[in-house]
Amino acid sequence: MSVYSYSQSIARLTSPVTMRLTLFLLGSLVAAFAARPARAQLSLADALRAADTRAVANRMAAGDRSARDAQAIAPLHGILPSARVEASIVRTDDPIGAFGTELRQRRIAQADFDPSRLNFPAPVTNYGGGLVLELPLLNADAWIARTATMRGASAARASESWTHLSTRADVVRAFYGAVLAAERVTTLDAAVRAARAHVRDAESLARNGVVTPSDAMLADVKAGELEADLIGARADAALARRGLAVLIGGDGNSSVEPAGTIPAATTLRTFAATDTIVAPEARADVDAARLGAEASSADVQRARALLLPRLNAFARTDWNDPGRLFAGERNWTAGVMASWSPFSGASELAEQRGAQARAAGARAMADGAAANARLESERSLSDLRVALDRLVIAEHSAAQGMDAHRIVGRRYDGGLATVVELLDAAAAEVHTATALAKARYDVVVALASRRLALGLDPGAVANLESPASNRPTSEDVPR
C-alpha cells in the first residue's frame, strides 16, 4: 500500500477517533520513511541488466554453449588437412636399427657389410627431423559428425536463450516480491504504531473507569498480534532482498533495495490489454529440443558411417643426421591409404544402438517440449485472467475494509463498539490493503509468465516502472 493511496484513504475518514488514528498512522509512515537507512536502490531494468551477465543460471548456460561450440570443431580433424613437425634423438645398437639409421644418414660403405659389424654394430646416434602433411580424402563419419555437432551447438545456443528469458522472468518475480514484502512491512509498521496509540488510549480510559481493564488487555493482545506479523514481515523482506541479490549474481551475504512500487491497477490492466494480443514467437526451449533431436538423428548416421571405408593421403619429408637436427640429406614419402574395418569387436554395434537410443529420447523430448509450450500458453492466459479477476475482488475488499473501519470508528466514538472491535476493523483494513498489493503483484507475475510462455521477453514489464504510470489514480483508491 503506497503512501499516496494511504493518504487518500485517510482523507475519507471523518470520525474523531479514526481521524486521530489515521493522522498518527500517516505521521508514523512518514517518520518510518525518513528514518529508513540509506541503501543503494535498484530499478527493475538495472536488475535485469545485472542478471543478464551475472546470474548463475545464465553463466552456466553460456559455459555449456561454449563447450558445445568447441565440440563442433572436433570433427574437423577428419575433414581438414593437418601438418606437423617431428624431431627425435635416437641411439641404438640394435642390428637392424643401427644399419637402417646409417642407411638413412647415407653413410653406408662397403665395410659396413662385414657380417661381424652387421651382427654386432657399434651404437649409432641419429637426429631425426620431419615435416608431415596429412590430407583426409573421404571420411564420411567425420562429415556427418560435423553436422551433428553443429546442430548440437545450435541447440545449446537456443537453450542459452531460453535460460536467459527464464532468468528474466525470475528476476521480475523476485524484484516485485521484494517490493511487496517492503510494502507489507511499511503498512504493518504504521498499523502497529496506530494500534499502540489505541492501547494507550484504552489504558487511560480504563484508569478513569470509562472502560473495563479487560478492554485494555484485549487491545494489547490485538496490538501484539500485529507486532508479531510485523516481525515476520521484516524477516521476509530481508530474505526477499537477499534472494533478489543472489538471483542477479550476488553472493549469499549481499542485499539490494528494490526501487519503486508495484504498478497501479489501471496501469496493469492497460498493459495486459495490449500485451496479450501480441503474436507469439517460436519458443527457444522448443527450438533447443528440436535441434537436439536433429543432432541425435545425425549422430545415428555417424555411427552407421563408422562401417564405411576411409581414404586419406599423406606426404612427408625427413632429415637424418648423426650430429644435429634437420641436417643431412633430405628424403620424402607420399602416398594414399585406404582402410576399412567392417568389424571391430562389436564396438560399432554398441555405438549404433547407443546413438539410436539417444535419438529416441531426444525425439520424445522435442515432442514433450512442443506440447508443454502449448499447455503453458493456455495456462498462462488463464492465470492472467484469474489474476485480473482477483484484482477486482481485492479492490472491492479493500474498499469494504476501509468503510468498515470507518463505521466501527464512528460506533466506537458513540460508545457502541469496544476498542477491540475497533482494532479488529483496523486489522481487517490492513489485511485487505496488503491483499490488494498482493493481487497487483500476482498480475505482474502473470504478465511476465504470459510473455515467457509466448516466447517473448518477460523483462518488458520493466516499462511499467515509469513514475507517472505507477502513481495510483482516483480509480485505484478504494472507495
Side-chain angles (χ1 to χ4, degrees):
M1 192 171 187
S2 65
V3 177
Y4 181 87
S5 61
Y6 220 105
S7 62
Q8 290 292 318
S9 303
I10 289 172
R12 297 178 55 83
L13 304 180
T14 58
S15 65
V17 170
T18 52
M19 181 62 72
R20 289 199 308 271
L21 168 64
T22 51
L23 287 176
F24 184 84
L25 189 63
L26 179 61
S28 301
L29 248 170
V30 174
F33 275 107
R36 179 178 294 179
R39 182 184 290 150
Q41 290 193 328
L42 190 73
S43 68
L44 176 57
D46 292 335
L48 290 169
R49 281 191 293 270
D52 288 343
T53 56
R54 292 165 41 197
V56 173
N58 287 340
R59 287 157 51 197
M60 291 174 61
D64 181 66
R65 184 257 308 157
S66 297
R68 298 292 289 272
D69 286 342
Q71 290 177 1
I73 301 174
L76 294 177
H77 177 73
I79 300 173
L80 299 179
S82 61
R84 69 178 185 271
V85 178
E86 296 178 350
S88 63
I89 302 175
V90 178
R91 184 171 175 80
T92 181
D93 65 351
D94 174 71
I96 295 178
F99 186 83
T101 297
E102 290 187 334
L103 185 61
R104 289 191 182 96
Q105 295 173 355
R106 313 293 175 90
R107 294 193 298 117
I108 294 295
Q110 185 66 37
D112 292 320
F113 289 94
D114 180 8
S116 62
R117 294 188 62 178
L118 289 174
N119 291 323
F120 303 98
V124 177
T125 300
N126 182 65
Y127 287 79
L131 299 177
V132 183
L133 175 66
E134 295 178 341
L135 179 62
L137 298 178
L138 181 59
N139 294 289
D141 60 318
W143 285 96
I144 299 175
R146 172 66 173 170
T147 300
T149 54
M150 287 291 289
R151 290 176 181 173
S154 298
R157 285 191 290 272
S159 181
E160 180 187 18
S161 177
W162 180 250
T163 300
H164 176 86
L165 291 178
S166 299
T167 301
R168 289 173 75 85
D170 291 340
V171 170
V172 171
R173 297 186 190 99
F175 181 89
Y176 282 113
V179 171
L180 176 64
E183 289 192 10
R184 185 166 183 264
V185 169
T186 301
T187 301
L188 284 172
D189 183 67
V192 167
R193 292 172 182 267
R196 280 302 168 193
H198 268 306
V199 170
R200 288 192 293 271
D201 288 343
E203 290 174 344
S204 176
L205 293 174
R207 286 192 297 270
N208 294 326
V210 178
V211 299
T212 64
S214 62
D215 289 332
M217 294 177 184
L218 290 174
D220 187 63
V221 170
K222 294 296 182 180
E225 292 175 354
L226 287 174
E227 287 178 340
D229 291 340
L230 177 59
I231 292 172
R234 284 173 174 164
D236 291 341
L239 289 175
R241 291 192 299 269
R242 291 179 64 179
L244 175 60
V246 170
L247 182 59
I248 63 176
D251 56 33
N253 297 321
S254 58
S255 178
V256 295
E257 180 77 13
T261 61
I262 301 176
T266 53
T267 303
L268 292 172
R269 291 191 182 96
T270 301
F271 188 88
T274 58
D275 198 56
T276 53
I277 63 176
V278 297
E281 296 183 359
R283 282 182 36 156
D285 62 330
V286 177
D287 288 342
R290 175 181 56 80
L291 290 167
E294 293 178 359
S296 296
S297 297
D299 192 57
V300 172
Q301 299 176 7
R302 177 202 61 80
R304 291 172 179 167
L306 293 174
L307 299 176
L308 298 177
R310 295 180 175 84
L311 185 64
N312 298 285
F314 68 94
R316 63 180 298 140
T317 297
D318 294 282
W319 290 266
N320 295 276
D321 189 82
R324 55 196 178 94
L325 290 170
F326 296 97
E329 295 293 332
R330 180 174 64 89
N331 58 78
W332 59 269
T333 306
V336 177
M337 178 178 292
S339 62
W340 183 35
S341 301
F343 187 74
S344 300
S347 62
E348 70 281 355
L349 298 178
E351 185 74 15
Q352 288 184 36
R353 291 181 180 179
Q356 290 169 351
R358 291 190 295 270
R363 287 193 298 271
M365 183 177 296
D367 293 341
N372 185 65
R374 290 191 293 270
L375 176 61
E376 286 187 359
S377 177
E378 296 175 3
R379 181 171 55 198
S380 65
L381 180 59
S382 175
D383 290 345
L384 178 56
R385 289 172 176 169
V386 169
L388 290 171
D389 290 342
R390 286 178 174 174
L391 177 59
V392 175
I393 296 173
E395 289 177 303
H396 178 73
S397 297
Q400 294 292 88
M402 182 185 301
D403 288 340
H405 186 195
R406 175 176 54 82
I407 293 171
V408 173
R410 288 180 176 178
R411 294 178 63 235
Y412 178 75
D413 290 339
L416 300 177
T418 65
V419 66
V420 174
E421 292 175 321
L422 181 61
L423 288 177
D424 283 338
E429 182 181 7
V430 169
H431 174 74
T432 56
T434 55
L436 177 56
K438 176 63 165 55
R440 286 154 52 209
Y441 165 80
D442 289 341
V443 174
V444 174
V445 171
L447 285 170
S449 299
R450 174 64 178 164
R451 291 187 64 84
L452 181 64
L454 295 178
L456 303 172
D457 180 16
V461 298
N463 296 329
L464 298 171
E465 280 195 314
S466 171
S469 68
N470 286 339
R471 180 180 294 278
T473 65
S474 58
E475 298 180 12
D476 294 308
V477 179
R479 297 181 180 277

